[in-house]
Amino acid sequence: MTTLTATLRELYEGDTRRAHRFRYVLLVFDVATIAFVIVTSFLPLIPWIIACDVALGVFVLLDFAARLGISRTPLREFRHLSTWTDLVAVASFLAPVLVEGVGFLRILRTLRLLRTYHLLERLRQDSELFRRNEDAILAATNLVVFVFTMTGIVYATQHNTNPAIQTPIDALYFTVTSLTTTGYGDITLPGPTGRLLSVFVMICGVTLFFRLAQVVFRPYKVRFPCDACGLQRHEPDAVHCKACGNLLNIPDEGAD
């Protein structure tokens, strides 16, 4: 193992303070990238935006190469959806002129980082807010990613042929009205492909929306795996597992 590989593996997978800081920097980068993508997707493609796109694309490509380089089974990485979303993100950053319409697809990269095991574990340790709202945060992230991904796909496939889709705002408007099943009807996607895309937005969007509503409005529970049956979620003050009756020892910071 080379020194570079060892260093990268420690940063991406290690449990040192430096590794934790490094992964938080990546998280901040992803959040800033999402903000940049959303804002600039509604602006004309001017030179400074193209330059920023290319710079971000190079950074994402380096990050992707580093993750692939430290993998013990690189070829197996391509069996994971997250690997392909990284490739889509890199392509959309490095080819802003040719694939302007799929700029929203760059937001897909956030799913990979938020689903990284080490980062999730660290967030659970460091943030009480994250521990209490983990399911809601992940559900909201999935919904937001879906909305902007579908917005990019709708805009990329329709803006040259559908007079009703002139800007990314039109595509965003159509996506939101479709997934909420409001369907005002002022914007439609013609043809079999357009109808199938509309159906996909409605079915998947409603599913993600109800998932978010479910985790937001259901009673609060903590994650603590039962040693006997493996049940993950329990009431904060539970003494016994409600599934098997096993004695629990849920950590409690005590009342304020």
Side-chain angles (χ1 to χ4, degrees):
M1 182 185 300
T2 65
T3 303
L4 177 60
T5 302
T7 301
L8 290 175
R9 186 163 292 166
E10 185 264 328
L11 290 175
Y12 279 94
E13 301 178 350
D15 195 35
T16 64
R17 181 174 300 179
R18 182 175 69 161
H20 296 157
R21 287 199 300 265
F22 174 77
R23 291 195 288 270
Y24 275 125
V25 168
L26 286 182
L27 179 60
V28 172
F29 168 78
D30 272 320
V31 173
T33 299
I34 291 169
F36 172 80
V37 167
I38 293 175
V39 172
T40 58
S41 293
F42 297 106
L43 299 176
L45 198 62
I46 53 182
W48 74 267
I49 293 180
I50 297 177
C52 289
D53 269 351
V54 173
L56 290 173
V58 171
F59 186 91
V60 175
L61 181 60
L62 291 174
D63 176 51
F64 174 77
R67 291 177 185 274
L68 198 63
I70 64 175
S71 175
R72 293 165 178 80
T73 54
L75 293 180
R76 291 186 180 181
E77 294 296 320
F78 290 92
R79 299 179 182 178
H80 303 149
L81 180 61
S82 57
T83 301
W84 294 101
T85 58
D86 271 358
L87 291 175
V88 170
V90 171
S92 63
F93 271 127
L94 295 181
V97 176
L98 297 178
V99 289
E100 174 187 1
V102 298
F104 279 113
L105 296 182
R106 291 172 286 184
I107 202 172
L108 284 171
R109 185 170 180 264
T110 307
L111 275 182
R112 171 160 190 152
L113 194 61
L114 284 179
R115 294 187 182 280
T116 300
Y117 173 77
H118 295 284
L119 180 61
L120 285 177
E121 284 299 315
R122 191 63 191 177
L123 286 173
R124 292 186 187 114
Q125 295 175 21
D126 294 347
S127 174
E128 172 66 20
L129 177 64
F130 184 83
R131 288 196 299 272
R132 292 179 62 90
N133 302 282
E134 178 180 346
D135 289 340
I137 291 172
L138 293 180
T141 300
N142 290 338
L143 180 60
V144 170
V145 168
F146 176 80
V147 167
F148 285 105
T149 298
M150 295 311 303
T151 296
I153 292 175
V154 169
Y155 182 67
T157 59
Q158 299 291 318
H159 79 284
N160 286 327
T161 59
N162 190 341
I165 305 291
Q166 295 294 323
T167 67
I169 295 178
D170 296 329
L172 177 61
Y173 169 76
F174 169 81
T175 301
V176 173
T177 56
S178 295
L179 74 87
T180 57
T181 68
T182 305
Y184 294 118
D186 50 344
I187 297 180
T188 59
L189 305 187
T193 303
R195 291 188 177 91
L196 289 174
L197 185 58
S198 301
V199 170
F200 180 79
V201 171
M202 285 186 281
I203 293 177
C204 295
V206 168
T207 301
L208 292 172
F209 182 79
F210 278 114
R211 170 59 181 165
L212 176 60
Q214 179 189 30
V215 299
V216 168
F217 292 108
R218 72 182 177 185
Y220 165 63
K221 295 183 179 181
V222 296
R223 286 183 176 270
F224 185 83
C226 173
D227 293 334
C229 70
L231 184 66
Q232 294 285 325
R233 301 180 61 86
H234 306 274
E235 284 73 19
D237 58 350
V239 177
H240 295 88
C241 175
K242 67 179 182 180
C244 68
N246 184 53
L247 184 65
L248 300 174
N249 186 21
I250 301 176
D252 188 353
E253 297 176 356
D256 295 332

